[in-house]
Amino acid sequence: MSSSRSYQNDQIERARDALYSLSADGERARWVKIGMAFHAAGGDFETFDDWSAQAGNYNAQDCRNTYRTFKTTPSGVGASTLFRMARDCGWTGCSLSQRTAPAKISPNQKTKASYSVSAYEVWNRCEPATTSHGYIQSKHGVPDGLRVVPSTDPLRIMNESMAGALVVPCFALDGSLSTLQLILPPGVVQRMKADKKPGKLNLPGGKVEGWFTVGTITPRGFIYIVEGIGQAWACWKTTGAAAVVAFGAGNMAKVAAALRSIYAAARLVMVPDSGKEQDARRIAAEVGGSVAAMPDGEVNNFDANDLMKRDGLDVLAALLKSATEQPVTYPLSVVFADELPDHYEPADELMEGVFTSGDASVLYGDSNSGKTFLVIDMAASVARGVPWMGKRTEPGMVVYLAAESPSSVRGRLQAYQKHHGCKVPNFVIVQSPIDLFDGEADTNRVITLVQQLERNFGQKVRLIVGDTLARLSAGANENAGQDMGVVVRRCDRIRTECKTHFLMIHHSGKAAAAGARGWSGIRAAVDTEIEISDLSSGRCVEITKQRDLSTKGQRIGFRLEVVALGHNKWGEPATSCVVARADAPVRQQNKRMGEVEGAIIEFLKAHKIGIKKSALAKHFNTRYDRSNVYRAVKTLLTASAINEAAGIVCIAEVAK
C-alpha cells in the first residue's frame, strides 16, 4: 500500500475515533454539523448511522436522507470541525499507534458502537441515590431504584464530568440493562443548557430499548407513559398508579406498543409534554389508550411535574382523571353487529334492479350478440338521467373505456343521438389504449381522469365501462387466476377510489352454457353478472347473478334497429344500430326445439362423432340459411343439448 493511501486510511480511522468520542444526543443542528464534518473527513454512512443510533430519538430513514445532503465544499464544514468538537469533549486526538481504532461496522451490524461504555460497569460502580440529590429535590421525587455517579468517577460525556449525576436505568423487555440516563445536578444542567448542551445524557453506544418504572404495574390498572423521570414521579404521587419513563417523546410509541403486548387489559394513558399532543393521540389510538394533555395555552415542553409544582396534586389528579380515550384504529375496516342501526338502509341503486352504486359488474355474451349496443344504451340512459327499459336511473357522468374500438363506439353513439333526437351529455369516450394488467400506470391515469372530469364539470362519475375485459387485460392469461386477479384488483381500486360503478364487457366461453370466458373467479369477484344471448327467438338480457338485489333471473328482451348515418366513399349506405325493447324470448331449456335445432340433433345422433361447425353448416347448405344453422347451434349449446370444443360440436349425453 502506498504511503499516501496508508495516511488517508489512518485519517479516516482517526475521524471515526473522534466521532465516537461525541454524544449523538442533543440538538439536531449539532448532530447535522458533526455529520457534515465526519463526511468531510472521509467518513462513511454506515459508521455515521451506527453512531447516530445511540441517540434516543434515532430515525433510520431521517439519518439516511440527511447524510445524502452532505457535500464537501471549500466554504463548508470541514474535518477540522469534527476534531475540534471532539477535543472539546475530552478527546485526546491520539493516533492509531497509541489507540486501537474501532473496527469498521458493516450495514448489517447495527450493534453498540466500538467505544460504547458498558452500562453494567457504570451502574455497578454507582452509589444508591438519596433524597438529598438536587434533581430529586427540585422535582419532588423519590430515589427508589436510582443511583448516583460517585464524585471521584472518571466518566465524562460531551467533555462534562458525570460526577454527582443521577442515574436512571433503562431496562429492556428481558430485564437486562440496555443503557443509562445521567441527569446532572440543577446548577450544572443550567450551565449546559446555556452552552446548548442537553441536561440529560445517555451513555455513548447505548440504545434506549425499554423503560424505567416508578411504582408497581398491575395487569388491569392504570399505566401512565411519560417522557422523563420527573413526570413519572408526579403521576405516581398523584394517583398511586405506575408511571413509565420512555426516555424521550421519540420512544413513547414503541414503549406503549411493548406495554400493550404484555399487559393486554391495562389502561394505558399517554401524558405528553405540551406540544406533543398530536403524536400522543396517534399512539393512544394505535394501542387502545387515552391521552391526558396539559392545559391549553401552556408553553412547549410544559409537563406534568411542572403542573404539579405550580398548581398542586389536586389539579394534576383532575387532569389525569379526565384523560380522553382515543378511537381504536384497526388495520382493516370493521363494524360491530350490535352497533348497526335498527333502520335498514337498502343498496344504493344506480340502475333500478340492475346496478348498485360503487360496485362491479360483468356483462358477457357471444360475438355479435349486441353487447356493445346494449351497454351504450344503458350508459346513455345514466348520462341523460332517463329510465332504461322502464327502470329508473341515477343520473351522472359516464366514462367509457373504448379499448376495443373507439371509432365503433363513436358511431354507435351518433346513431343513438340521431335515433332519439338528442345530444347525450356527460358521456366521455376514452380513446387511448388502457392496460390494467401490466403495471399501475393506466390505473392511475383512469383515476386521475375521473377526478379531473368531476372537478371540471361539477358532475359525479357514476359509471365506468370497460370495453372489453380482454382488451383491458392484454397479455394476461384469461384462464389464470394469478393474471386476471391482478386486473380485477385494479378495477376494484378504480371503482373504490372513484366511488363509482365499474361495468366490464366480456365474451362468452366456447360453451355458452358454461358462462363467461376464462377464469371463473371473475363471476365471484363482481356484484352483478348479466348474460346477453342471441337466440333464434330473439335477443335477451338475463341477470344471472345479483349480490344485493332480488332481480336474479330477470330477463329483458331487445332487438336492434338499423339507423342510417350517411354514405361511405363508394356511395353505399353507412348504418349502425340502436337498441329497442322487445318481449323476452322464452327459455329454450326443456322446450320443444325448432325445425333447425331438431334437424341438427338428428344429424349429430346419426353422425356419432364430432364435426366442425363449418362442416355442419355446409351439410345443411341446401336446406337452411347458414346464419340460421349457427344460431341454432348457439341455442343448443345454451340448452346443453350439444357440446363444443375447439370449434367441433357433438351430441351431448342428455340429448342422446
Side-chain angles (χ1 to χ4, degrees), residues 365-371 506-508 517 532 534 539 634:
D366 210 346
S367 297
N368 300 315
S369 60
K371 299 187 299 295
H506 197 22
H507 296 284
S508 295
R517 189 172 74 191
I532 305 297
D534 180 13
R539 301 176 191 267
K634 190 184 302 182

Side-chain angles (χ1 to χ4, degrees), residues 612-622 624 626 629-630:
K612 288 186 176 180
K613 286 191 289 185
S614 58
L616 182 66
K618 185 176 181 180
H619 173 76
F620 290 107
N621 192 37
T622 58
Y624 307 116
R626 192 180 189 87
V629 173
Y630 282 119

Side-chain angles (χ1 to χ4, degrees), residues 400-555:
Y400 197 105
L401 307 178
E404 188 160 273
S405 177
S407 61
S408 177
V409 174
R410 292 197 305 267
R412 295 178 186 193
L413 269 165
Q414 287 176 301
Y416 179 95
Q417 293 183 142
K418 182 176 181 179
H419 177 78
H420 290 279
C422 69
K423 290 290 186 180
V424 178
N426 306 319
F427 197 119
V428 181
I429 304 169
V430 177
Q431 304 178 100
S432 304
I434 300 293
D435 186 349
L436 300 183
F437 173 65
D438 187 15
E440 290 278 356
D442 281 356
T443 303
N444 294 331
R445 291 189 186 100
V446 172
I447 293 171
T448 301
L449 171 66
V450 169
Q451 293 169 345
Q452 289 178 341
L453 289 170
E454 291 180 340
R455 285 196 303 269
N456 293 343
F457 292 91
Q459 291 283 335
K460 175 68 183 140
V461 172
R462 299 283 183 185
L463 175 64
I464 298 176
V465 177
D467 185 6
T468 60
L469 180 59
R471 287 299 182 94
L472 294 176
S473 55
N477 182 348
E478 281 193 349
N479 296 302
Q482 62 266 34
D483 283 8
M484 297 309 296
V486 171
V487 178
V488 169
R489 284 195 298 273
R490 287 175 178 161
C491 290
D492 284 344
R493 184 184 158 214
I494 290 171
R495 68 177 178 83
T496 301
E497 292 195 23
C498 298
K499 297 179 175 61
T500 186
H501 188 98
F502 200 125
L503 166 61
M504 296 174 281
I505 301 178
H506 197 22
H507 296 284
S508 295
K510 292 179 179 179
R517 189 172 74 191
W519 181 48
S520 60
I522 291 176
R523 185 176 195 273
V526 298
D527 302 275
T528 303
E529 181 190 65
I530 299 173
E531 180 185 11
I532 305 297
S533 57
D534 180 13
L535 309 174
S536 58
S537 53
R539 301 176 191 267
C540 180
V541 179
E542 181 173 355
I543 300 175
T544 53
K545 176 187 176 180
Q546 195 64 279
R547 194 187 303 277
D548 296 320
L549 304 176
S550 60
T551 51
K552 179 184 175 182
Q554 191 172 102
R555 291 158 59 84

Side-chain angles (χ1 to χ4, degrees), residues 130-142 146 164-168 181-187 189 193 199-200 228-231 233 303 305 309:
T130 67
T131 55
S132 63
H133 191 277
Y135 188 80
I136 295 177
Q137 290 183 345
S138 68
K139 296 292 183 180
H140 300 178
V142 294
L146 308 179
L166 183 68
V167 183
V168 184
Q181 185 179 73
L182 297 102
I183 309 173
L184 290 163
V189 171
K193 288 184 175 180
K200 298 178 182 178
I229 186 72
Q231 298 95 308
W233 284 327
D303 60 40
N305 195 279
K309 291 191 297 181

